[in-house]
Amino acid sequence: MSSTWLITGATSGFGRLVAERALATGAHVIAVGRRRDRLADLAAAVPDNKITTIPLDITVADAEQVLADAVREVGRLDVLVNNAGYGLFGSIEETGADLARAIFETNVLANLAVLRATLPALRASRGRIVQLSSLLGQFSWPASSLYSASKGAVDLFSEGLALDLAPTGVKVTVLEPGVFGTDFAASAHIVAPNEVYTPTVGKFLTDFSALPPEAFGDPEQVADAIMAVVEMEEPPLRVAVGADAVEGIRSSLRSRLAELDRWESFSREPAVESV
């Protein structure tokens, strides 16, 4: 029996690549995305009985029910690639409440809604879950505070999810890509800094926009990683993809461990004074 996959953000970037690969293996793909035209383009190359397209903004109130109904209609679910999300870059002070709310609604709350919609079927199949985080789910850059916080939330609740699901046979992997050549940067929301934040946020944004094409990894590498971990009997909880992700996360962990060691004295019990 062929497997069934549900992929959010299937119209572009990593989601589109993984959808194409899953379809090439003979899987049935439930492809979810906001762009109806791109979903139609994806579906045009495969038989109708191998793809279910769902034009959907996963932040809308009934998204969870729509997805649950789609899974029920298809009849099973073996793999979830929870990929949809977007970027927000700017200082905390200059990012308004509406923008802050939107990044968490998309990257965190909608991610949870997708999980609630699919977990009953995934438990039944002892399936696989791939949660798309980022290298910035492990640390922050200047300008990335709220985006990093949203991806850090995905990283940590996915770890808890893996622990909760351990007896069921469902396996969870958090993918932490570095900087890759998708349309992510072009679609990200940028809050331009004022003069206070020009030396930090402004410099970072300027430097990032000046990166040459070779600084961006081949997104096929991320698709390769997703396809590989889904096939593993015991997949890793976290996978950093891209040399920049590996080195950035390693450097952050080393720095945090050094800081933990340096200030460990705060956690020691004070000496008891004799009377």
Side-chain angles (χ1 to χ4, degrees), residues 213-229:
E214 57 268 23
F216 295 83
D218 182 352
E220 299 279 359
Q221 187 180 357
V222 176
D224 286 343
I226 292 172
M227 300 303 291
V229 298

Side-chain angles (χ1 to χ4, degrees), residues 97-169:
D98 288 346
L99 284 176
R101 188 175 297 110
I103 193 74
F104 283 93
E105 285 179 349
T106 302
N107 291 0
V108 179
L109 299 181
N111 187 297
L112 292 170
V114 174
L115 288 169
R116 288 193 298 269
T118 56
L119 278 170
L122 289 164
R123 289 200 315 274
S125 67
R126 299 172 67 88
R128 298 289 182 268
I129 298 172
V130 179
Q131 293 279 86
L132 264 292
S133 181
S134 166
L135 81 165
L136 294 177
Q138 291 284 342
F139 60 89
S140 283
W141 285 335
S144 80
S145 52
L146 293 176
Y147 177 73
S148 292
S150 72
K151 288 301 186 178
V154 171
D155 192 291
L156 282 177
F157 75 62
S158 298
E159 179 176 348
L161 178 68
L163 296 172
D164 294 345
L165 290 172
T168 72

Side-chain angles (χ1 to χ4, degrees), residues 30-106:
I30 304 171
V32 184
R34 292 184 299 173
R35 292 284 300 273
R36 190 180 297 269
D37 57 333
R38 292 187 179 183
L39 288 174
D41 179 62
L42 177 64
V46 297
D48 290 342
N49 66 344
K50 286 297 183 182
I51 189 166
T52 300
T53 59
I54 304 179
L56 180 69
D57 179 343
I58 61 170
T59 66
V60 300
D62 64 343
E64 182 178 336
Q65 189 62 55
V66 170
L67 295 176
D69 289 346
V71 172
R72 193 176 301 110
E73 184 173 343
V74 171
R76 66 178 289 121
L77 185 63
D78 302 281
V79 180
L80 167 64
V81 181
N82 214 349
N83 167 68
Y86 83 102
L88 171 65
F89 296 91
S91 70
I92 287 178
E93 183 179 353
E94 295 175 293
T95 302
D98 288 346
L99 284 176
R101 188 175 297 110
I103 193 74
F104 283 93
E105 285 179 349
T106 302

Side-chain angles (χ1 to χ4, degrees), residues 125-250:
S125 67
R126 299 172 67 88
R128 298 289 182 268
I129 298 172
V130 179
Q131 293 279 86
L132 264 292
S133 181
S134 166
L135 81 165
L136 294 177
Q138 291 284 342
F139 60 89
S140 283
W141 285 335
S144 80
S145 52
L146 293 176
Y147 177 73
S148 292
S150 72
K151 288 301 186 178
V154 171
D155 192 291
L156 282 177
F157 75 62
S158 298
E159 179 176 348
L161 178 68
L163 296 172
D164 294 345
L165 290 172
T168 72
V170 179
K171 305 296 185 183
V172 180
T173 296
V174 183
L175 215 73
E176 300 170 332
V179 179
F180 283 88
T182 68
D183 58 1
F184 172 81
S187 64
H189 192 103
I190 307 297
V191 180
N194 63 23
E195 65 277 3
V196 174
Y197 294 101
T198 298
T200 52
V201 173
K203 183 179 187 306
F204 169 80
L205 294 173
T206 299
D207 291 349
F208 189 86
S209 66
L211 288 174
E214 57 268 23
F216 295 83
D218 182 352
E220 299 279 359
Q221 187 180 357
V222 176
D224 286 343
I226 292 172
M227 300 303 291
V229 298
V230 163
E231 293 298 323
M232 293 179 184
E233 188 68 26
E234 293 296 333
L237 175 60
R238 292 181 177 87
V239 176
V241 185
D244 57 338
V246 172
E247 290 308 311
I249 293 170
R250 179 179 288 130

